[in-house]
Amino acid sequence: MAKRDERVDQVWVDLQPVGRRISVVPGTTLLEAAQQAGVEIAAVCGGAGSCGKCRIQLMSGELAAPTVSERRFFAEAELQAGYRLACQAPTLTDVKFNIPPESLSTPQRLQIEGEEIEIEPDPTIRVVDLLMDPPALDDLRSDTTRLADTLVNEGLDRPHLGQSVLRSLSDELRAGNWSVRLALHRQDTFTGGVIDFSAGSPISAGYEVVSVLAQGQSPVGLAVDIGTTKMAGYLIDLETGKTLAKDGLMNPQIAYGEDVVSRIAYANQHAGRNPDGRTTLQRALVAGVNDLLGTLCRDAGVERKQVVDAVVVGNTVIHHLFTGLSVAQLGAAPYIAASSEPLSLEATRLGLSMAPGARIYLPPNIAGYVGADHVAMLLATGAWQASEPTIALDIGTNTEISLALGDRVLSCSCASGPAFEGAHIHAGMRAAPGAVEYVQIEEDQLRVRTIEGRPAVGICGSGILDVVAQLRAASVIGPSGRLKPDHKLWQSHIVKWDGGGAFRLVDKADTGNGHDLLVTRQDVNEIQLAKGAIRAGVEVLLAHAGLTHADLHTFIVAGAFGTYLDVKSAINIGMFPPLPLHRFQQVGNAAGTGARQMLISRERRRIAESIVGRVHYIELTAQRSFTDFYMEAMVL
Ligand code: FES
């Protein structure tokens, strides 16, 4: 790593959340570095320091002192927090910086699609329209008594009124001229296991007031699937079940670590500070969800007070970091979750700007590395009740795999690494414009397709998977992953490179950054490690059930990367078993679909809670057969 006082020719610039790394000469501004890397930062004034659009946040390393322009745009506290203008900030050492979404002129591809939901709405929220008698000199009941009396007259119990609702109640009743719509949370919703974190409001049969709406206003719910890298949000009309808006955002915690392991480390290393690491990570995530919600509300034309319920799913580490639970114990064997029960939390206490009495429902986790997002995926795909042997997996930095066997489900998690997110790959980047996403070699023809057809600047997960499969099929690489420098057709593409050569996928004359786009021997090795772990996980589960892959009726691939990968390539490199293609289903963001289902249906929440009861979790590191399967599955 280059430090400030060392004389170095080159320093490394790490651009997040894009996941691109580039080496530049010291003194290069961050904007120039981004341009050289092919990452488009908004630069309306062309780098003159006058538009303020190229705002970034430095995460590590050193830059030259802030310029006069920067002092105009940022308060001292912001400069202290690392905020800078990319065009004004030359790098002095290796640096890592985060580009907020508003400063990226070409947004990344975010996974917000998923199967549509066709479920009869039966949400936890009930609305009642009330016409109340206004106060008068001969009717001096307080606002709360008046409200409770009116509800009792409607045949309902006296409701519970939380402090946040109480604070705005009087104004809302008068603004509605005593004709209002109440959104009520049915407190009998949770029958088993839900832990209620609200102060002084034990769960009992009855209702809790969530929000005072105007007559005719629809109650709306928020479903969020928070991934380690990205999050997908959906705003749903709770009466009709219709999706009103959907959008995606990068997980802001990326600035503190690319994967869950580094975030656990951040939370631990910064324990005891003020604010501590865990709080910093929680605030960053809550701010991200608030941003996402703001965009969704704007798109759908609804007010935040209409957002009366939410379901949030994520892996166990994300779940804990979102709710503020300890993650230290997830960082070491035996990787114990702090909580595996479903949770019901008050939105306002968590810092979410929703209706004053809104709650957040988090379905149960299965284990330390198989979280509620996997439960949501099993729910949405129906895999939990598959009558024939079915594999359902969600590929990410950690890949969660389940084998459904009718009455029971075997689940495991394997560390597949960040290679499919573009990390640890020489020219790797996340799925953004200019990323190679598809590669085909036919005879002497090499075909490369990039996202949005832009000149290539890097390669994303589906692209690197294709490359390895195609190079192997063309015998440019052997079963061990070694490049063959004397390959008769592709010899001219094989160049010398540290640690075993590289394949030139795109010539510098055709790339968007003037550098050859190379796939190195090390990249191939990263893919071998990732695909080996995934396949070994599948094989361990099959062996545990006494089955072979030929017994599999269905193979479900969920998640963002799973949507775009080419199943044939995955089979060719041995990541997936060689099944007929019709047995594979690529289902998109099924975890997000599951979250939406739980948002509009109490029954779906009950099923999600029951799924956990039928899962038998298998810790791969405790399985002796895993290493054998892994070594075998590394071969291409
Ligand atoms: Fe305008 Fe940096 S590009 S201020």
Side-chain angles (χ1 to χ4, degrees):
M1 142 126 16
K3 299 210 176 68
R4 186 182 183 162
D5 297 329
E6 288 171 0
R7 285 192 172 274
V8 288
D9 299 335
Q10 297 280 308
V11 288
W12 282 102
V13 177
D14 191 337
L15 299 93
Q16 295 296 340
V18 186
R20 193 83 182 84
R21 247 180 131 221
I22 188 163
S23 137
V24 298
V25 292
T28 306
T29 68
L30 298 185
L31 182 63
E32 290 163 344
Q35 286 161 346
Q36 286 175 29
V39 175
E40 293 181 27
I41 292 183
V44 175
C45 70
S50 57
C51 72
K53 293 287 182 225
C54 62
R55 183 185 161 100
I56 57 91
Q57 188 179 19
L58 182 72
M59 306 315 302
S60 61
E62 276 187 62
L63 302 170
T67 62
V68 177
S69 310
E70 290 178 287
R71 294 202 175 276
R72 254 206 336 265
F73 283 103
F74 299 114
E76 190 54 40
E78 288 178 299
L79 288 170
Q80 290 295 330
Y83 286 102
R84 302 290 299 266
L85 295 177
C87 69
Q88 300 292 299
T91 168
L92 302 177
T93 64
D94 292 348
V95 294
K96 177 175 176 178
F97 70 95
N98 187 48
I99 311 167
E102 62 276 16
S103 300
L104 264 178
S105 57
T106 50
Q108 295 192 50
R109 185 164 66 186
L110 296 158
Q111 177 69 40
I112 50 171
E113 301 305 329
E115 310 264 294
E116 257 317 314
I117 42 173
E118 280 167 20
I119 285 177
E120 190 62 31
D122 174 30
T124 61
I125 298 293
R126 170 178 176 182
V127 288
V128 281
D129 292 316
L130 295 181
L131 186 56
M132 301 165 67
D133 293 328
L137 284 175
D138 59 351
D139 180 1
L140 299 174
R141 288 173 299 164
S142 70
D143 293 343
T144 50
T145 305
R146 190 176 305 277
L147 179 74
D149 289 350
T150 314
L151 277 169
V152 170
N153 286 342
E154 295 283 330
L156 290 161
D157 290 339
R158 297 180 81 80
H160 175 81
L161 271 163
Q163 200 184 352
S164 320
V165 178
L166 262 179
R167 230 178 271 136
S168 56
L169 180 72
S170 298
D171 292 342
E172 298 279 10
L173 293 177
R174 284 164 182 80
N177 204 18
W178 305 97
S179 170
V180 295
R181 194 160 218 227
L182 278 195
L184 301 170
H185 181 96
R186 306 189 228 216
Q187 292 187 330
D188 62 351
T189 299
F190 310 116
T191 49
V194 166
I195 296 177
D196 185 312
F197 275 88
S198 59
S201 60
I203 292 179
S204 60
Y207 294 96
E208 181 171 2
V209 179
V210 173
S211 189
V212 182
L213 306 173
Q215 288 288 2
Q217 261 186 338
S218 301
V220 169
L222 171 72
V224 193
D225 169 29
I226 308 178
T228 309
T229 310
K230 307 165 191 174
M231 49 188 176
Y234 307 83
L235 215 50
I236 314 284
D237 183 317
L238 293 176
E239 288 180 309
T240 63
K242 279 217 173 77
T243 302
L244 303 174
K246 55 188 175 186
D247 203 354
L249 194 71
M250 298 308 288
N251 183 331
Q253 291 180 334
I254 278 186
Y256 304 94
E258 285 196 19
D259 51 33
V260 290
V261 175
S262 46
R263 288 188 212 159
I264 292 172
Y266 182 88
N268 292 345
Q269 275 161 16
H270 294 77
R273 296 200 189 182
N274 186 19
D276 63 24
R278 209 201 303 177
T279 308
T280 303
L281 290 173
Q282 187 196 21
R283 284 182 187 164
L285 193 47
V286 167
V289 175
N290 270 333
D291 278 356
L292 184 59
L293 178 57
T295 307
L296 292 170
C297 285
R298 260 196 313 280
D299 289 353
V302 306
E303 293 179 53
R304 284 196 187 237
K305 73 170 184 180
Q306 283 177 260
V307 186
V308 290
D309 197 11
V311 172
V312 174
V313 300
N315 62 50
T316 310
V317 176
I318 294 290
H319 167 285
H320 284 24
L321 289 175
F322 179 68
T323 51
L325 302 182
S326 168
V327 289
Q329 76 289 348
L330 288 171
Y335 313 110
I336 298 298
S339 156
S340 57
E341 286 76 19
L343 301 181
S344 170
L345 309 178
E346 288 175 276
T348 46
R349 278 175 178 253
L350 215 51
L352 285 176
S353 306
M354 297 170 50
R359 282 174 177 274
I360 317 285
Y361 173 77
L362 293 106
N365 295 307
I366 292 172
Y369 280 89
V370 183
D373 52 352
H374 194 66
V375 176
M377 189 270 264
L378 292 172
L379 175 77
T381 58
W384 65 280
Q385 56 176 356
S387 54
E388 303 284 353
T390 296
I391 286 278
L393 53 74
D394 197 336
I395 301 172
T397 315
N398 267 290
T399 297
E400 299 92 13
I401 311 171
S402 279
L403 170 61
L405 298 159
D407 57 342
R408 66 199 170 111
V409 178
L410 304 178
S411 296
C412 70
S413 163
C414 57
S416 39
F420 295 127
E421 299 280 1
H424 299 183
I425 299 293
H426 171 66
M429 64 184 286
R430 300 209 174 89
V436 172
E437 61 167 346
Y438 170 82
V439 178
Q440 197 187 26
I441 297 176
E442 245 177 18
E443 304 285 321
D444 57 349
Q445 290 291 313
L446 170 63
R447 259 183 241 123
V448 170
R449 190 178 71 212
T450 62
I451 295 176
E452 292 187 9
R454 303 274 186 97
V457 292
I459 186 162
C460 66
S462 59
I464 192 77
L465 186 70
D466 278 357
V467 164
V468 175
Q470 294 291 310
L471 292 179
R472 176 71 193 105
S475 294
V476 181
I477 53 179
S480 68
R482 200 176 73 81
L483 277 154
K484 296 182 180 164
D486 49 358
H487 191 279
K488 66 177 183 319
L489 216 49
W490 295 102
Q491 202 172 22
S492 62
H493 280 249
I494 297 173
V495 297
K496 281 208 166 67
W497 190 258
D498 270 1
F503 182 85
R504 191 177 53 246
L505 188 63
V506 185
D507 188 273
K508 59 176 176 288
D510 299 319
T511 59
N513 55 16
H515 301 294
D516 283 341
L517 202 161
L518 301 178
V519 177
T520 69
R521 168 70 182 92
Q522 187 55 35
D523 295 344
V524 176
N525 190 240
E526 290 288 338
I527 296 304
Q528 286 176 279
L529 292 170
K531 71 104 179 176
I534 293 169
R535 181 63 182 275
V538 170
E539 295 298 332
V540 167
L541 294 186
L542 287 169
H544 213 86
L547 301 177
T548 70
H549 61 250
D551 297 313
L552 287 174
H553 183 268
T554 309
F555 198 106
I556 298 170
V557 188
F561 171 61
T563 307
Y564 297 107
L565 69 76
D566 185 293
V567 169
K568 284 199 283 306
S569 290
I571 293 174
N572 288 343
I573 66 165
M575 183 162 99
F576 293 166
L579 298 170
L581 288 182
H582 68 266
R583 295 199 201 170
F584 288 89
Q585 291 177 8
Q586 288 170 280
V587 295
N589 184 8
T593 305
R596 285 185 284 162
Q597 291 182 353
M598 287 182 270
L599 184 63
I600 62 164
S601 162
R602 294 185 290 171
E603 178 62 14
R604 301 304 281 178
R605 290 189 191 189
R606 286 195 189 99
I607 293 173
E609 290 167 22
S610 75
I611 287 174
V612 180
R614 61 167 72 194
V615 173
H616 174 62
Y617 175 69
I618 294 173
E619 176 55 52
L620 288 183
T621 51
Q623 301 294 311
R624 255 189 275 145
S625 61
F626 178 71
T627 315
D628 297 338
F629 282 126
Y630 189 34
M631 296 314 288
E632 212 174 295
M634 289 264 288
V635 177
L636 288 167

